[in-house]
C-alpha cells in the first residue's frame, strides 16, 4: 500500500540529463576518455560492470550511460550551478497535487553538504544523498518535453457541485522557463538517440518517436545481504499534437533497460492505438 509515485527513491542515471542540461546552460563542454573507472581525490568510481567506453562526448556518454563522463562533467560544472538548476527543476521540494495532498520532497543535497569532490562525484551520476519521487522526475522530464518550461503538476482541474456543474476552477501555478531553447533542442536529440541506438532501445516504438533515459540505482538498502536496486525509465513522446511524459519505476528491479523500458513502449503504443 505504498504510493511509489509520490515516494522518494535513489534515481541513478535518470538524473544525468539534468547534469547535461546544467552543462549546456553554462557552456561547459567535455570530451572524456572512459577507462571503466575514474579516481577523484583518491576515491575510485566505476562505470557499470567496469565497462570501458573509450572516447565519449555528451551524446555517446548518455547513450551508454557512462558514469565516469558525468562525474568528470560534474567536476567542471561545480556544485553551486548544479544545485541551483536542480532546485529550479523542483528537486528537494514537496509538491501539492491537491488540497493538502503532497508528494514527498525527496532530498536535494545542500551546497554546504557537498563538502568534498567525492560527494559532488556521487551527485553527478544520481547517487549519494539525492532522492526523488517518480512524480518529481516526471516534472523534470516534462521540462525537456515542453520547451524548457517548469510546470507544477496537479490532480485538480476544478470543483463541481452535486449536479456535475463546475463551481470553481483551480488556479494553476504559472509556468516559467528554466532552460534555453538551444539546451532543450540538444537534449531532445540526445534522449531520442538513447532510445534509438543506446541502452534504452527496448523503449523504441514504430508508432511514436520516444525519448528517454534508463537507470539502475543503488539504494543502500540490503535484504539478505543483497543490495536492492531501483530501476527507472523516464521519457516522453508526442502523438497527435499531445505530448506525454511517462516515468516507469520498479522497486527492487534488475535494470532500467530490461524492467522499465519495455513498459514505456507498451504505454506509448497503447496510446497510439486508442487515439
Amino acid at each position: 500500500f505504498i504510493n511509489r509515485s509520490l515516494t522518494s527513491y535513489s534515481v541513478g542515471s535518470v538524473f544525468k540529463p539534468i547534469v547535461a542540461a546544467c552543462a549546456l546552460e553554462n557552456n561547459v563542454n567535455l570530451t572524456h576518455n572512459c577507462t571503466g573507472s575514474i579516481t577523484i581525490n583518491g576515491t575510485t568510481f566505476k562505470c557499470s560492470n567496469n565497462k570501458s567506453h573509450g572516447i565519449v562526448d555528451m551524446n555517446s556518454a548518455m547513450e551508454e550511460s557512462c558514469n565516469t563522463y558525468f562525474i568528470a562533467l560534474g567536476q567542471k560544472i561545480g556544485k553551486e550551478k548544479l544545485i541551483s538548476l536542480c532546485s529550479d527543476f523542483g528537486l528537494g521540494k514537496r509538491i501539492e497535487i491537491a488540497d493538502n495532498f503532497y508528494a514527498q520532497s525527496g532530498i536535494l543535497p545542500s551546497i554546504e553538504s557537498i563538502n568534498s569532490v567525492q560527494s559532488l562525484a556521487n551527485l553527478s551520476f544520481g547517487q549519494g544523498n539525492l532522492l526523488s519521487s517518480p512524480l518529481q522526475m516526471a516534472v523534470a522530464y516534462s521540462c525537456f518535453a515542453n520547451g524548457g518550461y517548469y510546470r507544477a503538476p496537479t490532480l485538480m482541474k476544478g470543483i463541481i457541485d452535486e449536479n456535475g456543474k463546475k463551481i470553481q476552477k483551480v488556479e494553476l501555478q504559472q509556468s516559467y522557463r528554466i532552460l534555453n531553447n538551444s539546451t532543450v533542442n540538444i537534449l531532445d536529440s540526445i534522449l531520442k538517440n538513447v532510445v534509438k541506438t543506446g541502452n534504452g532501445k527496448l523503449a523504441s516504438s514504430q508508432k511514436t518517436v520516444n525519448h528517454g533515459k534508463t537507470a539502475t540505482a543503488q539504494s543502500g538498502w540490503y535484504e539478505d545481504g543483497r543490495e536492492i536496486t531501483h530501476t527507472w525509465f523516464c521519457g516522453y513522446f508526442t502523438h497527435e499534437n499531445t505530448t506525454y511524459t511517462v516515468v516507469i519505476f520498479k522497486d527492487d528491479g534488475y535494470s532500467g533497460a530490461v524492467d522499465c523500458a519495455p513498459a514505456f513502449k507498451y504505454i506509448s503504443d497503447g496510446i497510439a492505438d486508442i487515439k
Side-chain angles (χ1 to χ4, degrees):
F1 298 104
I2 297 172
N3 189 333
R4 287 175 172 79
S5 64
L6 308 180
T7 303
S8 301
Y9 297 94
S10 299
V11 295
S13 293
V14 291
F15 181 70
K16 289 172 180 174
I18 296 177
V19 180
C22 190
L24 293 168
E25 288 288 295
N26 290 283
N27 298 312
V28 176
N29 300 307
L30 178 66
T31 300
H32 174 72
N33 182 19
C34 171
T35 61
S37 66
I38 186 171
T39 300
I40 303 294
N41 197 26
T43 301
T44 298
F45 299 87
K46 298 180 180 180
C47 263
S48 178
N49 300 319
N50 299 326
K51 185 176 180 180
S52 173
H53 298 112
I55 303 297
V56 289
D57 59 11
M58 184 178 288
N59 183 80
S60 55
M62 195 78 75
E63 287 189 32
E64 299 292 334
S65 201
C66 177
N67 291 342
T68 67
Y69 175 89
F70 285 95
I71 290 171
L73 188 63
Q75 299 295 312
K76 290 193 69 174
I77 295 169
K79 62 182 181 180
E80 291 84 1
K81 292 175 181 177
L82 184 54
I83 294 297
S84 176
L85 185 62
C86 288
S87 180
D88 289 343
F89 272 98
L91 301 184
K93 302 174 183 177
R94 69 176 186 169
I95 303 172
E96 186 176 20
I97 53 178
D99 286 345
N100 297 312
F101 182 39
Y102 294 88
Q104 289 183 4
S105 62
I107 296 175
L108 175 63
S110 65
I111 293 174
E112 294 74 22
S113 70
I114 306 294
N115 54 13
S116 68
V117 289
Q118 292 97 326
S119 56
L120 177 57
N122 267 318
L123 176 64
S124 299
F125 66 111
Q127 295 287 174
N129 294 328
L130 177 69
L131 296 177
S132 181
S133 68
L135 178 63
Q136 285 175 314
M137 295 312 297
V139 174
Y141 276 70
S142 290
C143 295
F144 304 141
N146 68 11
Y149 285 87
Y150 176 90
R151 184 185 296 277
T154 180
L155 286 173
M156 295 183 65
K157 187 174 183 179
I159 299 173
I160 60 175
D161 62 18
E162 63 273 14
N163 298 313
K165 181 180 178 181
K166 185 184 291 185
I167 58 175
Q168 182 179 337
K169 181 180 179 181
V170 171
E171 294 297 326
L172 300 179
Q173 179 180 322
Q174 186 69 31
S175 62
Y176 55 90
R177 179 178 288 278
I178 63 171
L179 299 175
N180 294 318
N181 279 327
S182 59
T183 295
V184 173
N185 291 337
I186 293 170
L187 282 172
D188 189 74
S189 176
I190 289 173
L191 293 174
K192 181 169 69 174
N193 289 338
V194 169
V195 175
K196 185 177 180 181
T197 57
N199 61 11
K201 283 187 285 189
L202 292 180
S204 181
S205 171
Q206 298 298 315
K207 301 175 182 180
T208 55
V209 178
N210 294 344
H211 305 67
K213 183 72 188 77
T214 62
T216 305
Q218 295 173 273
S219 68
W221 304 348
Y222 287 84
E223 186 175 90
D224 299 326
R226 175 184 61 87
E227 186 175 19
I228 292 172
T229 53
H230 298 146
T231 57
W232 301 73
F233 187 92
C234 300
Y236 57 91
F237 62 93
T238 299
H239 180 66
E240 294 188 352
N241 298 317
T242 300
T243 300
Y244 302 85
T245 302
V246 179
V247 170
I248 311 297
F249 171 81
K250 185 175 183 181
D251 189 355
D252 195 8
Y254 172 71
S255 80
V258 174
D259 298 331
C260 303
F264 184 93
K265 176 186 184 299
Y266 179 83
I267 291 171
S268 66
D269 283 352
I271 288 175
D273 287 341
I274 65 175
K275 291 288 285 185

